[in-house]
Amino acid sequence: MKFAECILQQRPLLVTSTRHICKFRKEIAEKLLNSSETLDDYCRACSEKGKANSWVKCDQCNHWYHFKCINKKNKKKPVTIEEADKLHFYGPCCSARGTYEFLP
Protein backbone atom coordinates (compact mmCIF):
# COMPACT_ATOMS: atom_id res chain seq x y z
CA MET A 1 0.00 0.00 0.00
CA LYS A 2 2.74 2.44 0.92
CA PHE A 3 4.47 1.74 -2.38
CA ALA A 4 1.18 2.30 -4.22
CA GLU A 5 0.69 5.61 -2.38
CA CYS A 6 4.14 6.78 -3.44
CA ILE A 7 3.52 5.81 -7.05
CA LEU A 8 0.08 7.45 -7.18
CA GLN A 9 1.41 10.63 -5.58
CA GLN A 10 4.42 10.51 -7.92
CA ARG A 11 6.83 10.47 -5.01
CA PRO A 12 10.09 8.50 -5.11
CA LEU A 13 10.26 5.17 -3.31
CA LEU A 14 12.65 5.75 -0.45
CA VAL A 15 13.67 2.20 0.32
CA THR A 16 17.30 2.31 1.22
CA SER A 17 17.48 -0.36 3.90
CA THR A 18 15.76 -3.25 5.60
CA ARG A 19 14.75 -0.82 8.34
CA HIS A 20 12.74 1.23 5.81
CA ILE A 21 10.99 -1.89 4.54
CA CYS A 22 10.06 -2.86 8.11
CA LYS A 23 8.74 0.66 8.70
CA PHE A 24 6.60 0.45 5.54
CA ARG A 25 5.25 -2.94 6.62
CA LYS A 26 4.34 -1.59 10.05
CA GLU A 27 2.52 1.39 8.51
CA ILE A 28 0.60 -0.94 6.19
CA ALA A 29 -0.41 -3.19 9.08
CA GLU A 30 -1.57 -0.20 11.13
CA LYS A 31 -3.68 1.11 8.23
CA LEU A 32 -5.27 -2.29 7.73
CA LEU A 33 -6.04 -2.70 11.40
CA ASN A 34 -7.46 0.80 11.69
CA SER A 35 -9.67 0.38 8.62
CA SER A 36 -11.20 -2.96 9.60
CA GLU A 37 -12.87 -4.36 12.67
CA THR A 38 -11.35 -7.74 11.93
CA LEU A 39 -8.94 -9.20 9.41
CA ASP A 40 -10.54 -12.66 9.57
CA ASP A 41 -12.17 -12.23 6.18
CA TYR A 42 -8.86 -11.47 4.40
CA CYS A 43 -6.69 -14.17 2.90
CA ARG A 44 -3.18 -13.94 4.35
CA ALA A 45 -1.67 -15.18 1.07
CA CYS A 46 -3.27 -12.80 -1.45
CA SER A 47 -4.84 -10.13 0.82
CA GLU A 48 -8.16 -10.48 -1.01
CA LYS A 49 -11.36 -10.31 0.95
CA GLY A 50 -13.62 -13.38 1.07
CA LYS A 51 -13.81 -14.27 -2.63
CA ALA A 52 -13.19 -18.01 -2.40
CA ASN A 53 -15.58 -20.71 -1.28
CA SER A 54 -12.94 -22.82 0.45
CA TRP A 55 -10.82 -21.47 3.27
CA VAL A 56 -8.07 -23.06 5.36
CA LYS A 57 -7.17 -21.87 8.87
CA CYS A 58 -3.68 -22.14 10.33
CA ASP A 59 -3.86 -24.49 13.30
CA GLN A 60 -1.40 -22.39 15.28
CA CYS A 61 -2.19 -18.69 14.71
CA ASN A 62 -5.78 -19.06 13.36
CA HIS A 63 -5.13 -16.89 10.28
CA TRP A 64 -7.26 -17.73 7.25
CA TYR A 65 -6.10 -18.51 3.70
CA HIS A 66 -7.94 -19.25 0.46
CA PHE A 67 -7.42 -22.92 -0.31
CA LYS A 68 -6.62 -22.05 -3.95
CA CYS A 69 -3.88 -19.61 -2.83
CA ILE A 70 -2.24 -22.29 -0.69
CA ASN A 71 -2.21 -24.81 -3.53
CA LYS A 72 -0.74 -22.24 -5.94
CA LYS A 73 2.14 -21.56 -3.55
CA ASN A 74 2.48 -25.19 -2.46
CA LYS A 75 3.53 -26.50 -5.89
CA LYS A 76 5.58 -29.42 -4.59
CA LYS A 77 2.72 -31.02 -2.69
CA PRO A 78 -0.75 -29.74 -3.66
CA VAL A 79 -3.64 -31.37 -1.79
CA THR A 80 -7.37 -31.62 -2.34
CA ILE A 81 -9.82 -29.88 -0.03
CA GLU A 82 -10.92 -33.33 1.20
CA GLU A 83 -7.32 -34.19 2.13
CA ALA A 84 -6.85 -30.80 3.78
CA ASP A 85 -9.82 -31.44 6.07
CA LYS A 86 -7.97 -34.44 7.51
CA LEU A 87 -4.62 -32.68 7.98
CA HIS A 88 -3.21 -29.91 10.16
CA PHE A 89 -2.37 -26.75 8.26
CA TYR A 90 0.41 -24.28 9.15
CA GLY A 91 1.04 -20.98 7.38
CA PRO A 92 4.54 -19.73 6.57
CA CYS A 93 4.92 -17.83 9.84
CA CYS A 94 4.04 -20.91 11.89
CA SER A 95 5.56 -23.80 9.94
CA ALA A 96 9.06 -25.02 10.75
CA ARG A 97 10.04 -24.63 7.07
CA GLY A 98 8.61 -21.15 6.58
CA THR A 99 6.25 -22.45 3.88
CA TYR A 100 2.63 -23.57 3.66
CA GLU A 101 2.43 -27.06 5.14
CA PHE A 102 -0.24 -29.70 5.57
CA LEU A 103 0.84 -32.26 8.17
CA PRO A 104 -0.84 -35.36 9.63
Side-chain angles (χ1 to χ4, degrees):
M1 249 195 265
K2 194 66 173 174
F3 294 111
E5 285 177 11
C6 289
I7 291 168
L8 290 172
Q9 295 171 359
Q10 297 180 347
R11 293 184 302 163
L13 296 174
L14 302 174
V15 179
T16 57
S17 69
T18 305
R19 194 175 89 237
H20 284 111
I21 293 171
C22 290
K23 181 182 173 193
F24 282 148
R25 286 181 177 167
K26 183 179 178 198
E27 288 175 11
I28 291 167
E30 287 172 354
K31 282 185 180 187
L32 283 172
L33 289 171
N34 290 332
S35 66
S36 177
E37 290 180 23
T38 178
L39 296 178
D40 289 345
D41 53 351
Y42 286 91
C43 173
R44 296 293 173 130
C46 71
S47 302
E48 297 267 327
K49 189 173 182 177
K51 290 190 177 187
N53 292 336
S54 301
W55 289 78
V56 180
K57 181 171 75 167
C58 176
D59 288 335
Q60 186 166 331
C61 68
N62 296 323
H63 289 162
W64 287 93
Y65 298 84
H66 292 132
F67 181 73
K68 67 176 184 157
C69 292
I70 300 308
N71 263 345
K72 278 184 197 174
K73 295 178 186 268
N74 193 14
K75 293 176 185 173
K76 288 184 181 177
K77 204 174 181 184
V79 298
T80 65
I81 193 69
E82 292 80 18
E83 291 171 323
D85 284 340
K86 298 173 188 169
L87 299 170
H88 295 282
F89 170 71
Y90 298 95
C93 292
C94 299
S95 84
R97 295 183 184 162
T99 60
Y100 300 97
E101 288 190 292
F102 288 98
L103 301 172

